[in-house]
Amino acid sequence: MSHLPDLVAAACTAHADYPRTSPYHPSESYPEYPYRQTEGSAPLGALLGTEPNEIYAAVRESLRLAGLDAANFGTSAWNPLGQFIRPGQFVLLKPNLVKEWHPRDPDGWIYVITHGSVIRAVADYVWIALAGRGRVMVADAPQTDSKFSAMVKLMELDRLADFYRGQGQNLELVDLRKEEWENVDEVIVERRKLAGDPCGYQAYDLADRSEFFQHAGVGRYYGADYDDDELNRHHTADKHEYLISGSAVACDVYINLPKLKTHKKAGITVNLKNLVGVNGDKNWLPHHTVGTPADGGDQFPNRSWKTWLEHTGAQTLRKTALALPGVGTWLLKRARRAGKKAFGDGNQTIRSGNWHGNDTTWRMCLDLNKIVLYGRPDGTFRPAELPAAKPYLCFVDGVLGGEGNGPMDPDPLASRCILFGSNPGVVDAASAVILGYDVDKIPIVRQAFHARGFPISTGNWREKRLASNRPEWNGTLGELTGSAATLHTRPHFGWVGHIEAARTK
């Protein structure tokens, strides 16, 4: 079986627009398109949308550019995902559903989370490959203070599920989180238990095959919650443990559907970073290491009395909030407001590892990718060989992505493309090049080609190839790096002046 590991297909659209109405039918009848209008038992023709749908066309074009099932293209027998998916299998679709709102733009969710029309187009080709037999789940673990139900409503995924149900196909919509938090003024005021993953959760210890093995930050990691003691119990000198959603490991085929955006801790967030959403407990995930580079940390770029005071005060207040929820939470809320005035707003001041010196987040993300690729449901691992037993496919929603202060507060980026590939590191390398960045300066992508213990991507990223319906985007990634044809994208302010590729062509 070919997993096309060295090729990324980039299908470009004429506009940065999405269809507005679910279930996001294609606007053109394709030979392989399976859904028909009927009157009684009589077929009347293809079930099409009434508005233009460039997204469906771009997903289809990305599969054609990749050369999948080329012999049958243009016929009703075309089954591009058939070499990865067999009838009867369990396929998981993992979009980026980080947050249902944008802090500055009421409609900004559309360039923060994966659009439902991308999910629809990919799901259609999954159903074709399953030939009516199998299980399809759309699942994610959003940011803990997000509302999964609100995103389902915004994306109209409930209507999409209703459509498939009417065709005799069950599209499962699953919130993988165990808890949902209520935040007020960036302070946790309530924690609600959720049903979670129907497949449960499993702990995986990567031990010396973790990217954190022999890392200087042991004992000083900070995660998603106030209780950093819990996080550091799972990451010690000999243990590097993650709690993973059972569905992400139990599925036969994993399909990543990230949004193309910049990221404050990782530089970019595409496939490799999107794996944060397969966790059962985000407080097992190191996000940054307390301190500065001078002492092996990456919380702040430089040590000063101001950063020391900020860290010490915040740490004391967080511990108080844990020990005395009522009084401590009230104090923490007041301190947060005062702290922004004294130490600067997070959209202007580097803190919490939100800069190009973050040496923690990329390690955590690569560890998660290893577990999805090689993990077994019982917590053990498959042999460390590529291609891994599980196909891992990538469709990137880059039609309208985000630049600047991503992932939560970006500005819209009309990159007008859908990317497809079968290796997350290779697709992320192509994404970085298209954004106008230098892969060698983005650790989460660069190190995917040098992962410890379990390979994620192999070879030289510069030799991987991009195939596109945009002529100037065809060539090796090395040839395209710095090209005038790539985008001039603004990174997060903590990465500005560091990751942009030199314009040499």
Side-chain angles (χ1 to χ4, degrees):
M1 177 186 291
S2 170
H3 282 234
L4 308 171
D6 298 324
L7 176 71
V8 178
C12 296
T13 61
H15 307 93
D17 297 326
Y18 298 95
R20 292 183 174 85
T21 307
S22 184
Y24 311 115
H25 293 314
S27 50
E28 180 180 343
S29 179
Y30 302 111
E32 73 280 2
Y33 182 62
Y35 302 112
R36 296 287 182 264
Q37 301 181 73
T38 60
E39 185 174 305
S41 59
L44 297 180
L47 192 56
L48 303 178
T50 58
E51 58 182 328
N53 190 341
E54 291 186 67
I55 308 305
Y56 201 106
V59 168
R60 182 177 189 265
E61 176 67 1
S62 73
L63 295 169
R64 185 197 70 80
L65 287 165
L68 298 177
D69 195 21
N72 287 314
F73 180 75
T75 75
S76 61
W78 191 49
N79 180 12
L81 297 184
Q83 75 176 73
F84 305 105
I85 302 171
R86 299 190 301 276
Q89 289 189 319
F90 172 21
V91 181
L92 187 141
L93 306 180
K94 165 63 177 73
N96 182 339
L97 305 184
V98 60
K99 191 73 176 175
E100 70 274 13
W101 61 272
H102 187 288
R104 295 177 290 114
D105 180 357
D107 296 319
W109 67 269
I110 206 166
Y111 49 91
V112 169
I113 60 179
T114 308
H115 198 271
S117 60
V118 179
I119 296 172
R120 162 65 196 276
V122 173
D124 272 13
Y125 286 101
V126 170
W127 288 119
I128 289 171
L130 289 173
R133 294 185 289 115
R135 181 183 180 192
V136 181
M137 177 188 289
V138 176
D140 195 12
Q143 186 166 293
T144 320
D145 62 349
S146 301
K147 289 182 170 55
F148 185 85
S149 58
M151 284 181 277
V152 166
K153 185 175 181 180
L154 279 173
M155 301 163 69
E156 298 191 57
L157 294 183
D158 46 356
R159 292 189 61 187
L160 179 57
D162 288 343
F163 164 72
Y164 282 128
R165 193 173 298 113
Q167 307 297 317
Q169 298 165 330
N170 182 28
L171 184 73
E172 303 173 47
L173 305 177
V174 177
D175 185 346
L176 297 175
R177 297 174 300 174
K178 297 171 68 178
E179 279 188 348
E180 181 179 281
W181 298 344
E182 187 73 30
N183 269 13
V184 177
D185 296 333
E186 301 179 36
V187 176
I188 303 165
V189 297
E190 184 183 355
R191 301 168 188 254
R192 292 184 290 273
K193 296 293 183 183
L194 300 175
D197 189 340
C199 290
Y201 303 89
Q202 178 63 52
Y204 292 84
D205 180 10
L206 285 166
D208 61 356
R209 292 176 289 188
S210 167
E211 297 300 318
F212 286 104
F213 182 65
Q214 297 182 334
H215 182 243
V218 169
R220 295 185 291 135
Y221 298 126
Y222 188 79
D225 202 351
Y226 305 154
D227 189 357
D228 49 2
D229 288 340
E230 180 194 13
L231 169 63
N232 285 287
R233 286 193 294 272
H234 296 291
H235 292 274
T236 67
D238 302 315
K239 178 175 70 175
H240 294 288
E241 194 172 35
Y242 300 88
L243 188 68
I244 303 299
S245 298
S247 294
V249 177
C251 65
D252 299 297
V253 180
Y254 181 90
I255 300 183
N256 217 342
L257 300 166
K259 196 75 166 176
L260 184 61
K261 295 183 295 183
T262 54
H263 195 281
K264 58 188 177 182
K265 295 186 191 298
I268 64 171
T269 171
V270 198
N271 293 284
L272 296 163
K273 179 65 178 64
N274 201 37
L275 266 286
V276 168
V278 301
N279 286 274
D281 190 331
K282 285 188 168 65
N283 204 37
W284 292 30
L285 304 181
H287 285 64
H288 69 261
T289 302
V290 172
T292 69
D295 55 19
D298 54 23
Q299 180 183 15
F300 300 105
N302 301 295
R303 182 188 301 161
S304 69
W305 69 267
K306 198 170 184 179
T307 59
W308 176 85
L309 183 62
E310 178 181 350
H311 168 73
T312 303
Q315 185 180 48
T316 301
L317 287 165
R318 285 195 297 264
K319 290 185 181 298
T320 303
L322 283 171
L324 303 168
V327 175
T329 298
W330 179 81
L331 284 172
L332 189 55
K333 286 168 64 176
R334 293 179 64 87
R336 289 272 193 187
R337 290 194 290 268
K340 286 184 178 181
K341 295 180 180 179
F343 302 113
D345 186 88
N347 281 335
Q348 300 171 333
T349 303
I350 295 175
R351 59 166 58 87
S352 303
N354 298 338
W355 66 299
H356 65 82
N358 188 310
D359 193 39
T360 305
T361 294
W362 69 264
R363 298 174 187 272
M364 171 264 289
C365 293
L366 296 192
D367 278 0
L368 298 176
N369 279 265
K370 297 173 194 176
I371 294 170
V372 168
L373 277 167
Y374 298 100
R376 294 189 179 106
D378 64 357
T380 62
F381 295 95
R382 299 182 180 93
E385 300 173 354
L386 282 176
K390 178 184 298 180
Y392 181 143
L393 306 181
C394 310
F395 291 88
V396 180
D397 176 5
V399 176
L400 186 63
E403 67 176 340
N405 291 354
M408 305 298 296
D409 190 16
D411 295 320
L413 172 66
S415 39
R416 299 188 181 92
C417 63
I418 296 287
L419 304 182
F420 168 74
S422 66
N423 181 276
V426 176
V427 177
D428 282 17
S431 300
V433 169
I434 286 172
L435 290 171
Y437 301 152
D438 184 343
V439 172
D440 284 336
K441 296 180 180 179
I442 306 175
I444 192 173
V445 186
R446 181 190 68 230
Q447 295 304 122
F449 292 84
H450 308 283
R452 174 190 291 272
F454 292 104
I456 298 174
S457 307
T458 59
N460 185 337
W461 68 264
R462 293 178 175 274
E463 296 174 356
K464 309 304 180 182
R465 190 163 61 88
L466 187 65
S468 179
N469 58 349
R470 181 173 172 176
E472 60 268 34
W473 281 10
N474 284 273
T476 67
L477 299 186
E479 293 168 342
L480 294 170
T481 296
S483 166
T486 58
L487 305 177
H488 294 253
T489 307
R490 179 168 46 89
H492 181 272
F493 73 88
W495 294 71
V496 166
H498 180 76
I499 60 173
E500 301 91 331
R503 295 285 169 173
T504 58
K505 308 163 190 177

